[in-house]
Amino acid sequence: MTTQKSVGAASPTYDVIIAGAGPVGLFLACELRLADVSVLMLEQSADPSSPLKRLPFGMRGLTIPTMEAFYRRGLLDDIVKDNPASIKSLGLQPGKQAGHFAGITFSYSDFDSSKWEYRLPNPADTNIAAELERVEKTLAERALAVGVEIRRGVTVSGFSRSDDDMVTVDTIAKSEEEEFRGKWLVGCDGGRSTIRKVGGFEFVGTEPEFTGYSAKVELAADSEPLPPGKNNTSRGMYSLAPSGQLVMADFDGGAHHREEVTLEHLQSVLRRISGINATLATVHVATTWTDRSAQATTYRKGSVFLAGDAAHIHSPLGGQGLNLGIGDAMNLGWKLAATIHGRAPGGLLDTYTTERHPIGQRVLDWSRAQVAVMRPGQASRALEAIFRDIMQTRDGATYFAERVLGVSLRYDLGSGHPLVGRSAPDFELMREGGGMTVGKLLELGMGLLVDFDSRRELQQLFPKRWTNGIEYLAGEPKERLGLSVLLIRPDGIVAWVCEGQLDIDEFLTAARCWFGAENWIVSRQKEA
């Protein structure tokens, strides 16, 4: 193939180049632009639309941390409205399914949310089903509106680092080669990430046990009928919904993944797994997947990062992949922006891996545990029966709900207080002109110091409304949950709390840890 090369030096230099314009890359780009960072996105697909992003295959469960991320950036209403798969599941609705583990379902009335003592009702305090295409479209519209440059139909072929600490990204588009230069590079380019491979990231895990199939089919009129719901057999698992959505797991070691899926092959696998002489009349669309689980040992190498499926892959069981990736983007965005603007404390970027890697490992193990329950054989059926019994207890259902809905997520930030490292409750401050919630206050991507007692010693530290990444807010909340002061990071994670007597030095230590050496602290020390 003959190619023409465009000299990269003629192209502008960006603060950040993101490979991959899926939901994770788009959300990260929006986070960076919120902090006035220049962003270029390079996406291999020329057309973002795909049947696999639409119903039924494109349905994704959005967990509470993902819903909170959208809420805290003013995106939630746009994600939910006109979404053909949007199913609001707010509150305890008896009989309504809230989630599942290896196909064992639980409802909202099965678990006890009152045990989640540091949660307050808010618009994001729910999980929903959403169509992937709608989510991606909403994020792309926001990205373009805030000034992200998106180039589609561009394949990233490699990258290199130069002596001036720049990253040069090599691309191919329409048989022409081109280079782009940036200070930082983030690979959001999926499970077969070019950035991960070229960057030499170690990617370790477990090999697949099965080939999974998702297809939209029609049975022939004379076909032997299939029983409804999920069915485990001695050869695998299958389910066929009334809509024609067929899902199967064939425990063949992943042998047929990425092979052509013909009607004849799909029918053969279905008959073998089910033991029923089912006949397919039509296959509208079909895709394969596996339970291979792997994770990069680090999410950062110098000026190159990984996020989303580029950093971790696992089976889609339980729908955790998109949520895990959005969490990566929410965690990385503000930290990278602070570093680019020169106001980050030392080691801040390293906390991206130390915080997100354990979360990814936990999800991979959750996926592996479900595979253990799904395997053919008596041992797995016995294990399934035990899990089913546990999930029928109040405490058991509550544990599974915490994991599936995401409310158990907590970063280890070195504090013994149970709220530190968790998502901030959506306190509503009673202020002149009406109440204001923490979720709405986070929309500008700033950290918050929320002072329920309007302490003079804190007010004196903030001579201006905006001070190097922290907004000081004083006011009486509707509910204070036994707290008096909170320091909240831009990603909505609680970094420090005070329940009674204020230790100003303890606050300053926490503030410096996450927001650097503040000018306001230095100036007050000089005054003293």
Side-chain angles (χ1 to χ4, degrees), residues 359-396:
I359 304 300
Q361 182 64 55
R362 203 164 182 243
V363 170
L364 264 64
D365 286 344
W366 188 254
S367 173
R368 293 180 180 117
Q370 293 182 78
V371 174
V373 174
M374 291 170 54
R375 290 184 189 119
Q378 286 185 312
S380 292
R381 298 291 69 74
L383 192 62
E384 180 185 23
I386 292 172
F387 273 107
R388 196 177 295 277
D389 287 345
I390 292 172
M391 291 173 67
Q392 287 176 353
T393 68
R394 193 73 166 166
D395 287 345

Side-chain angles (χ1 to χ4, degrees), residues 18-94:
I18 298 175
V24 176
L26 288 165
F27 188 80
L28 176 60
C30 292
E31 286 292 281
L32 294 168
R33 283 300 301 148
L34 189 61
D36 199 28
V37 169
S38 61
V39 182
L40 169 67
M41 303 193 74
L42 304 173
E43 167 56 41
Q44 181 175 354
S45 299
D47 184 358
S49 65
S50 165
L52 297 178
K53 295 179 183 180
R54 296 190 287 271
L55 295 180
F57 307 106
M59 188 173 72
R60 297 292 187 273
L62 303 184
T63 60
I64 288 176
T66 300
M67 295 287 286
E68 288 179 331
F70 293 151
Y71 167 51
R72 290 166 176 166
R73 296 302 186 254
L75 287 160
L76 185 57
D77 288 344
D78 289 334
I79 293 289
V80 172
K81 75 176 183 182
D82 301 326
N83 192 325
S86 178
I87 307 169
K88 275 283 187 180
S89 307
L90 187 61
L92 300 179
Q93 300 180 23

Side-chain angles (χ1 to χ4, degrees), residues 191-514:
R192 289 177 277 179
S193 169
T194 297
I195 303 303
R196 186 185 69 233
K197 294 172 184 176
V198 175
F201 286 82
E202 188 178 10
F203 201 54
V204 298
T206 52
E207 292 305 308
E209 296 189 38
F210 64 74
T211 299
Y213 295 85
S214 295
K216 186 172 177 59
V217 304
E218 293 179 25
L219 291 178
D222 59 349
S223 173
E224 189 173 339
L226 293 166
K230 183 178 76 73
N231 298 275
N232 290 303
T233 75
S234 61
R235 291 165 294 279
M237 181 279 295
Y238 74 96
S239 68
L240 179 64
S243 63
Q245 184 177 6
L246 174 66
V247 178
M248 298 188 293
D250 183 13
F251 281 78
D252 61 353
H256 205 81
H257 182 42
R258 299 199 185 104
E259 298 290 330
E260 182 183 4
V261 182
T262 63
L263 183 149
E264 291 74 20
H265 175 77
L266 205 63
Q267 178 174 278
S268 173
V269 173
L270 176 59
R271 288 180 173 180
R272 178 163 47 81
I273 292 176
S274 67
I276 295 172
N277 193 32
T279 302
L280 299 180
T282 306
V283 176
H284 296 283
V285 63
T287 187
T288 63
W289 41 279
T290 75
D291 60 313
R292 184 190 175 205
S293 297
Q295 185 178 27
T297 54
T298 180
Y299 292 180
R300 177 195 179 191
K301 293 185 76 172
S303 56
V304 181
F305 296 86
L306 302 176
D309 289 350
H312 37 69
I313 59 170
H314 55 88
S315 81
L317 298 170
Q320 295 290 330
L322 174 60
N323 298 290
L324 190 57
I326 294 295
D328 292 344
M330 190 69 163
N331 188 282
L332 175 60
W334 70 276
K335 296 175 181 178
L336 183 53
T339 301
I340 290 170
H341 289 306
R343 61 171 183 258
L348 182 63
L349 281 180
D350 293 331
T351 67
Y352 171 55
T353 291
T354 59
E355 290 180 5
R356 291 303 298 173
H357 193 277
I359 304 300
Q361 182 64 55
R362 203 164 182 243
V363 170
L364 264 64
D365 286 344
W366 188 254
S367 173
R368 293 180 180 117
Q370 293 182 78
V371 174
V373 174
M374 291 170 54
R375 290 184 189 119
Q378 286 185 312
S380 292
R381 298 291 69 74
L383 192 62
E384 180 185 23
I386 292 172
F387 273 107
R388 196 177 295 277
D389 287 345
I390 292 172
M391 291 173 67
Q392 287 176 353
T393 68
R394 193 73 166 166
D395 287 345
T398 301
Y399 168 79
F400 280 88
E402 288 175 350
R403 293 290 299 267
V404 172
L405 303 183
V407 297
S408 62
L409 187 149
R410 185 188 185 192
Y411 299 135
D412 182 4
L413 304 187
S415 171
H417 193 283
L419 185 55
V420 171
R422 295 188 184 275
S423 177
D426 197 31
F427 294 103
E428 183 177 358
L429 299 181
M430 305 313 294
R431 309 172 74 189
E432 186 177 349
M436 181 62 71
T437 64
V438 164
K440 293 295 291 182
L441 290 165
L442 284 167
E443 285 189 9
L444 294 179
M446 303 290 291
L448 302 176
L449 181 63
V450 186
D451 179 5
F452 297 154
D453 297 317
S454 303
R455 298 169 187 261
R456 186 170 180 273
E457 60 264 54
L458 289 176
Q459 292 175 352
Q460 289 178 333
L461 292 174
F462 290 85
K464 296 182 295 185
R465 180 179 178 186
W466 301 105
T467 307
N468 202 25
I470 303 176
E471 182 184 8
Y472 173 78
L473 298 157
E476 180 66 30
K478 277 189 174 181
E479 297 182 62
R480 62 166 61 206
L481 303 179
L483 306 174
S484 56
V485 190
L486 298 92
L487 178 63
I488 303 172
R489 304 189 323 189
D491 57 356
I493 297 298
V494 177
W496 171 83
V497 299
C498 172
E499 290 183 305
Q501 186 68 31
L502 174 66
D503 184 333
I504 195 70
D505 290 331
E506 187 180 271
F507 160 68
L508 294 178
T509 298
R512 289 190 182 102
C513 174
W514 298 107

Side-chain angles (χ1 to χ4, degrees), residues 101-119:
F101 177 85
I104 308 170
T105 62
F106 60 90
S107 71
Y108 282 91
S109 56
D110 293 335
F111 60 86
D112 185 4
S113 62
S114 68
K115 292 189 174 183
W116 307 334
E117 58 180 326
Y118 288 111
R119 294 201 63 82

